Amino acid sequence: MNFKEHVIKKIVDMTELDREAVEKAIEIPPDEKMGDLAFPCFPLAKIMRKAPPVIAQELAGKMSDDDMIDKVQAAGGYLNFFLNREKLISAAVTAVNASGDDWGKSDIGANRTVLVEYSSPNIAKPFHIGHLFSTAVGNSLAKIYAHLGYNVQSLNHLGDWGTQFGKLISAYKRWGDREIIEKNPIKELLKIYVRFHEEAEKYPELEDEARAEFKKLEDGDAEATELWKYFRDISLVEYNRVYNMLGVSFDSYNGEAFYSDKMDEIVDILRDKGLLEESDGAQVVDLSELNMPPCIILKSNGATIYATRDIAAALYRHRTYDFYKNIYVVGTTQALHFNQFFSVMKKAGWDWADNCIHVGFGLVRFGGKSLSTRHGDIVYLDDVLNESIEKTRDIIEKNNSNVENKDEAAKKIGIGAVLYTFLKNSREKDIDLSWDTMLDFEGESAPYCQYGYARGRSILRKAEGIDYSNADFSKAVSDEAYSLVKQLNAFGDAVRDAAEKNEPFYVNRYVTNLTKSFNKFYNTNPIMKDDVDMDTKKARLAIVEATTRVIKTALSLLGIETVESM
């Protein structure tokens, strides 16, 4: 029973507007006293040749109430609809509890393929806190698109190629000790990588040596290739340990190296289309008509560059997946790079390039401190996650020693707290991490939402044995119950908004507001008290179950797990 659709149909039947126009125009009033849905009559002014307030009055007079709408009122140029509270509560709660984890799902994706490239760490370098931005946003988007019926492929475009491997090979040959590296691979590889840069500042000829080592790797030299595979394999072991902590998985780990034999074709295509021109010895595509610098395809020494590899990757993905969307979750600092190579693909006549989308995100600081792997100035992600888990366990011990399986609860809450922080605002906003904010059980945080869920599950456990499957929802009508259930009904809209704008923030904000409404509901509508009659208990219990289901589903789309008690 879709109340919004019912209102849209009534408006369409009484006006000359099509359904799509009405759906786009209809709003939720800022104050519940103004109704549940509002339609601005301004689009009708030209058609009906009347002032919007007059149109609103006329339509309100003609629009009869029914079993889904209590009343229709004109307010200025708006037509305000007040829905039947009992009917909406009954329909929404029954539907949520019947759908289980599928509430908010949709078939709008029609199984079309959406690729989401995210995380993409550089091999042999630490998985630091900055990488979590891409990982958190990308993993959430993958889940959101899947919830809407898309066939989602998660891609980890590893940074496993380039001159940095020449530097690492050179550093390893000079200072590497395999036995020491095996004990702590990433930190030890970083140590010799940082040392290389320190030494290169004193002895610039080391840069030439590194370039020579990478050239060997490009040419398939056996020793260089063996070392490259070794660095890649031990790095992936470390990365997957962190991914397992986060509950993140990928369908492909094809990195830059995978496309190294596919770039000659790109150069040939661009040359055949007359797009390449020489600039200081390099081969570039001119983008001056778009007010952008030229996109370098081949450097003056004939070597390829990031843009060449990214174009090769995009063409491969188009041929392999025939994607509906190809999303790149990469920092906003790389916006020019994406604009450049997207523009090159469009100039090449590839219409599907319009379906390649850069989803940028801001910078990360920890206590105001920026990150740089080159100088060893980093904050390791697993250190942050482990510290969050430990701090959460201390809070659990202090506040409630009755939580079952404290270690598991601390892990879910601690990791959830970190993830929530990266998804609580628009992704392009910079983040300065703070333990006080992340682990605030009272404010806008994952622990706050997880506690709301756990509180609801505790109520349901106390009600074990009570059958509320056929509750009489006329017993549950209250302002707090109605506001809460309207939130439940809006989950699908939040998921669609998140996908449309590639902003997990919409789901994050939704679940936070839902939890706030739930807290207000159970604090003002007693459920298991002795003076509450059984019919009222049943109706309110059904609402509690529906709410906990939606909180859990919404948090799962953010990559955050729930706990049954806190």
Side-chain angles (χ1 to χ4, degrees):
M1 190 180 290
N2 191 320
F3 285 74
K4 183 177 179 180
E5 190 64 39
H6 179 68
V7 170
I8 291 172
K9 186 176 185 306
K10 287 181 82 80
I11 296 170
V12 170
D13 289 344
M14 295 187 65
T15 67
E16 297 181 30
L17 295 175
D18 60 31
R19 188 201 170 282
E20 185 177 355
V22 174
E23 184 178 24
K24 285 183 178 179
I26 206 160
E27 303 171 2
I28 296 177
D31 187 335
E32 286 187 352
K33 295 176 182 177
M34 300 167 66
D36 301 303
L37 294 169
F39 176 72
C41 295
F42 307 101
L44 292 169
K46 287 185 179 180
I47 299 172
M48 300 178 68
R49 298 179 180 278
K50 296 177 182 178
V54 175
I55 297 172
Q57 287 286 354
E58 289 183 2
L59 291 179
K62 295 177 183 178
M63 201 164 288
S64 59
D65 302 337
D66 55 37
D67 63 345
M68 295 174 72
I69 300 173
D70 272 350
K71 61 182 178 180
V72 182
Q73 289 182 342
Y78 285 82
L79 198 61
N80 293 340
F81 294 83
F82 294 79
L83 304 178
N84 183 310
R85 290 190 166 197
E86 180 188 336
K87 289 278 187 181
L88 189 142
I89 291 173
S90 176
V93 173
T94 302
V96 171
N97 287 334
S99 65
D101 296 337
D102 291 340
W103 186 245
K105 279 192 174 181
S106 168
D107 59 1
I108 63 174
N111 208 35
R112 290 171 293 188
T113 298
V114 170
L115 310 181
V116 187
E117 176 195 307
Y118 60 98
S119 197
S120 307
N122 289 320
I123 290 299
K125 290 187 180 179
F127 202 150
H128 61 68
I129 190 65
H131 288 116
L132 186 56
F133 217 149
S134 173
T135 307
V137 171
N139 183 52
S140 182
L141 286 178
K143 292 176 180 294
I144 286 166
Y145 274 103
H147 205 69
L148 295 175
Y150 292 92
N151 169 33
V152 177
Q153 296 291 308
S154 293
L155 313 179
N156 196 336
H157 187 75
L158 296 170
D160 59 0
W161 203 247
T163 54
Q164 70 267 27
F165 284 95
K167 296 175 182 180
L168 191 58
I169 291 171
S170 175
Y172 180 83
K173 286 182 175 181
R174 287 174 175 272
W175 310 295
D177 185 321
R178 188 169 288 223
E179 185 177 342
I180 293 175
I181 289 173
E182 297 284 354
K183 293 176 182 177
N184 201 336
I186 300 298
K187 290 185 179 180
E188 291 302 325
L189 289 175
L190 174 66
K191 189 183 295 183
I192 62 173
Y193 182 77
V194 170
R195 184 175 178 181
F196 177 89
H197 281 280
E198 292 171 345
E199 294 294 321
E201 289 178 3
K202 295 181 287 186
Y203 307 104
E205 60 270 19
L206 285 177
E207 296 287 355
D208 294 328
E209 180 179 295
R211 282 189 283 270
E213 291 289 358
F214 180 59
K215 184 66 167 59
K216 290 180 185 178
L217 180 59
E218 286 187 304
D219 293 341
D221 176 79
E223 181 187 25
T225 301
E226 188 276 329
L227 285 174
W228 173 81
K229 288 181 178 177
Y230 172 65
F231 298 149
R232 191 180 192 275
D233 290 345
I234 60 173
S235 297
L236 280 175
V237 169
E238 285 296 294
Y239 297 155
N240 282 324
R241 182 176 59 80
V242 179
Y243 289 137
N244 288 337
M245 289 181 72
L246 295 169
V248 171
S249 61
F250 295 91
D251 299 295
S252 169
Y253 285 89
N254 289 341
E256 294 179 54
F258 179 79
Y259 303 101
S260 60
D261 63 349
K262 298 170 177 59
M263 291 183 285
D264 287 344
E265 181 189 6
I266 298 303
V267 176
D268 291 341
I269 289 172
L270 297 179
R271 183 175 287 122
D272 290 345
K273 289 178 178 290
L275 294 175
L276 288 185
E277 54 185 68
E278 188 174 329
S279 175
D280 296 327
Q283 294 293 306
V284 306
V285 176
D286 179 47
L287 299 174
S288 57
E289 76 277 14
L290 299 172
N291 295 316
M292 280 189 278
C295 182
I296 301 173
I297 301 300
L298 290 175
K299 293 190 286 188
S300 57
N301 63 359
T304 55
I305 197 167
Y306 285 115
T308 327
R309 290 194 282 274
D310 280 338
I311 294 171
L315 181 59
Y316 173 84
R317 292 173 186 178
H318 169 66
R319 291 169 172 170
T320 305
Y321 300 103
D322 189 25
F323 54 75
Y324 173 66
K325 289 184 182 180
N326 178 25
I327 296 171
Y328 299 82
V329 185
V330 180
T332 53
T333 55
Q334 297 298 312
L336 175 60
H337 167 72
F338 283 96
N339 284 334
Q340 284 180 304
F341 90 80
F342 289 170
S343 298
V344 170
M345 295 192 298
K346 291 174 187 177
K347 290 188 74 167
W350 297 339
D351 293 341
W352 49 265
D354 288 328
N355 300 324
C356 294
I357 303 163
H358 174 217
V359 171
F361 55 85
L363 301 174
V364 183
R365 293 179 177 82
F366 208 114
K369 193 175 185 180
S370 298
L371 312 169
S372 169
T373 55
R374 176 168 291 190
H375 297 98
D377 183 18
I378 58 170
V379 178
Y380 288 90
L381 176 56
D382 58 344
D383 287 346
V384 173
L385 295 177
N386 286 325
E387 186 169 353
S388 185
I389 292 169
E390 286 302 313
K391 287 179 179 294
T392 301
R393 200 182 196 289
D394 290 344
I395 293 171
I396 291 174
E397 289 280 6
K398 181 179 178 181
N399 295 338
N400 184 0
S401 59
N402 297 320
V403 173
E404 296 180 8
N405 199 336
K406 292 184 179 67
D407 290 336
E408 182 182 351
K411 181 179 178 182
K412 290 179 178 180
I413 298 166
I415 291 176
V418 179
L419 287 170
Y420 181 101
T421 304
F422 281 83
L423 302 173
K424 70 183 293 185
N425 295 309
S426 170
R427 53 183 162 71
E428 293 189 351
K429 186 175 181 180
D430 294 349
I431 293 177
D432 199 342
L433 298 175
S434 159
W435 287 119
D436 290 342
T437 302
M438 284 194 286
L439 297 175
D440 182 2
F441 281 61
E442 303 295 328
E444 294 186 358
S445 66
Y448 174 77
C449 297
Q450 290 165 315
Y451 180 74
Y453 171 84
R455 177 73 179 270
R457 299 309 297 174
S458 174
I459 293 170
L460 294 175
R461 285 193 295 274
K462 291 177 182 176
E464 188 174 356
I466 298 176
D467 181 8
Y468 48 84
S469 58
N470 292 307
D472 176 3
F473 290 100
S474 67
K475 302 293 185 178
V477 177
S478 68
D479 288 345
E480 297 79 17
Y482 189 57
S483 293
L484 173 60
V485 174
K486 282 205 300 181
Q487 287 266 11
L488 297 178
N489 227 19
F491 181 46
D493 290 337
V495 179
R496 286 188 291 274
D497 284 344
E500 183 179 327
K501 299 175 177 68
N502 290 310
E503 278 279 17
F505 155 71
Y506 284 95
V507 174
N508 193 303
R509 181 176 63 184
Y510 169 85
V511 71
T512 305
N513 288 337
L514 177 64
T515 307
K516 288 178 181 177
S517 293
F518 182 46
N519 288 343
K520 189 173 182 180
F521 166 74
Y522 68 62
N523 283 323
T524 54
N525 291 257
I527 300 171
M528 295 306 296
K529 288 187 176 180
D530 293 339
D531 59 349
V532 179
D533 66 88
M534 184 56 69
D535 285 341
T536 301
K537 280 182 182 177
K538 288 180 178 180
R540 290 175 179 171
L541 285 169
I543 292 173
V544 171
E545 178 172 343
T547 305
T548 57
R549 286 180 182 276
V550 179
I551 290 175
K552 182 175 184 177
T553 301
L555 287 175
S556 74
L557 295 186
L558 302 173
I560 298 172
E561 295 185 272
T562 50
V563 293
E564 294 299 309
S565 61
M566 283 177 69

